Amino acid sequence: MSTASNSGSSGHSHGHDHHHDDEFDRGLSHDLPVFARRRMIRLLAGASMVPLVAACSTDDSGSSAAADSSSSGSSSSGTSGSDCEVIPTETAGPYPGDGSNGPNVLKESGVVRRDITKSFGSSSGVAEGIPLTITLTVVDQASGCDTPKEGAAVYLWHCDREGRYSLYSDGVTEENYLRGVQETDDKGQVTFTSIFPACYTGRWPHIHFEVYGSLDDATAAQDIAATSQLAFPKDVCDTVYATDGYSQSVQNLSQLSLESDMIFSDGYDQQLATLKGSTDKGYTATLTVPV
């Protein structure tokens, strides 16, 4: 059984971390093209579609407001009526576990589950950390974000307290924790029980997710409707990372900001989760996901 431990923290100089850094370098190569494409779309829009930019510029102009509101644990994203925009497309990175880069956990029996803190199947590892409950509300963007997408599915995954991704990182290649699928209910919601992820070298703390049209599509790893990432407000990260087990995240976070992160620097108002709770009782993270 492989469990989380401080010896696996990303960013320090142990041998397996060099391997992790190599993996992370591949992650940058995945992330940068998407970042560049989003920048190019904005530049082209600015050159030839000025009215469109005026109507759809909240991704950039909302950044400061989102940062200011993070101290109260609330997101500044507008998700109804004329403010409704499709969730920004982001890279799935090098550790998706959906069959696009090696392992495919989606076809494994047991992946449909609410509690993703434990590995399933032949693995038994448990991810340690501050408890985190994640609720995503999937809505129909074409309806002005007023209609929940019942019967859709969300595959969600993230790193552990040491910055490692199950199935890929040294020490947890035989584990599949912090990965799971849920079907949306009549409110368009899915909820996962997890732990607060680390901040590893070069990336702001985040959670990956893919939205599928149905649970059948998700477990067949086909027809992804949306791929994006959820961001965490800084004040909550600072509080969590001051607790035992997250020491490496303190240093990593100090070298980053939402404005400098390779994914969130071009706008994060739609992806900044609302966080509530405490280190003693755990946190809840909520985000509306228009697709």
Side-chain angles (χ1 to χ4, degrees):
M1 178 176 73
S2 175
T3 58
S5 66
N6 287 338
S7 63
S9 296
S10 67
H12 37 55
S13 59
H14 298 302
H16 77 269
D17 290 317
H18 289 153
H19 178 67
H20 181 271
D21 289 343
D22 290 342
E23 290 177 332
F24 180 68
D25 287 341
R26 292 202 300 272
L28 300 186
S29 69
H30 281 70
D31 289 354
L32 285 173
V34 174
F35 176 80
R37 284 198 299 273
R38 291 177 64 189
R39 278 289 183 213
M40 183 58 68
I41 290 171
R42 292 178 186 281
L43 290 173
L44 291 175
S48 60
M49 301 173 69
V50 174
L52 180 61
V53 173
C56 303
S57 62
T58 57
D59 210 26
D60 287 318
S61 63
S63 296
S64 297
D68 291 340
S69 68
S70 67
S71 62
S72 62
S74 61
S75 169
S76 65
S77 60
T79 54
S80 63
S82 60
D83 294 331
C84 174
E85 296 181 9
V86 172
I87 192 78
T89 297
E90 308 290 9
T91 177
Y95 317 113
D98 61 1
S100 63
N101 184 28
N104 189 346
V105 74
L106 295 176
K107 294 186 177 181
E108 296 293 330
S109 175
V111 72
V112 180
R113 59 200 186 128
R114 176 185 175 118
D115 187 346
I116 62 174
T117 58
K118 302 176 182 178
S119 290
F120 61 92
S122 60
S123 301
S124 58
V126 179
E128 303 293 341
I130 297 297
L132 176 68
T133 300
I134 308 148
T135 297
L136 303 183
T137 303
V138 183
V139 296
D140 179 31
Q141 187 270 341
S143 72
C145 295
D146 292 327
T147 304
K149 297 278 284 187
E150 181 180 4
V154 175
Y155 167 44
L156 181 145
W157 73 98
H158 61 83
C159 71
D160 63 15
R161 187 173 62 181
E162 286 71 39
R164 306 173 301 182
Y165 284 87
S166 66
L167 301 176
Y168 294 89
S169 300
D170 283 358
V172 292
T173 56
E174 300 302 315
E175 302 298 343
N176 52 29
Y177 57 48
L178 306 182
R179 299 178 183 274
V181 175
Q182 286 277 300
E183 183 178 27
T184 57
D185 60 18
D186 58 356
K187 296 179 181 178
Q189 293 184 338
V190 293
T191 298
F192 296 91
T193 300
S194 190
I195 57 99
F196 205 96
C199 175
Y200 54 83
T201 307
R203 278 304 317 276
W204 189 261
H206 62 282
I207 288 177
H208 293 270
F209 60 90
E210 294 172 344
V211 180
Y212 292 81
S214 68
L215 188 59
D216 287 343
D217 284 345
T219 53
Q222 65 183 16
D223 300 330
I224 301 172
T227 303
S228 196
Q229 298 180 25
L230 172 156
F232 291 94
K234 183 180 185 302
D235 65 318
V236 177
C237 293
D238 286 336
T239 300
V240 171
Y241 295 159
T243 64
D244 291 343
Y246 287 98
S247 58
Q248 189 63 38
S249 292
V250 176
Q251 178 181 352
N252 292 335
L253 188 71
S254 70
Q255 301 170 355
L256 298 165
S257 70
L258 276 162
E259 290 77 15
S260 68
D261 181 73
M262 61 174 15
I263 295 298
F264 301 124
S265 61
D266 62 342
Y268 54 83
D269 56 313
Q270 284 187 271
Q271 296 160 284
L272 188 65
T274 298
L275 268 289
K276 296 180 179 179
S278 66
T279 55
D280 290 336
K281 297 182 179 180
Y283 287 88
T284 61
T286 58
L287 185 72
T288 298
V289 182
V291 297

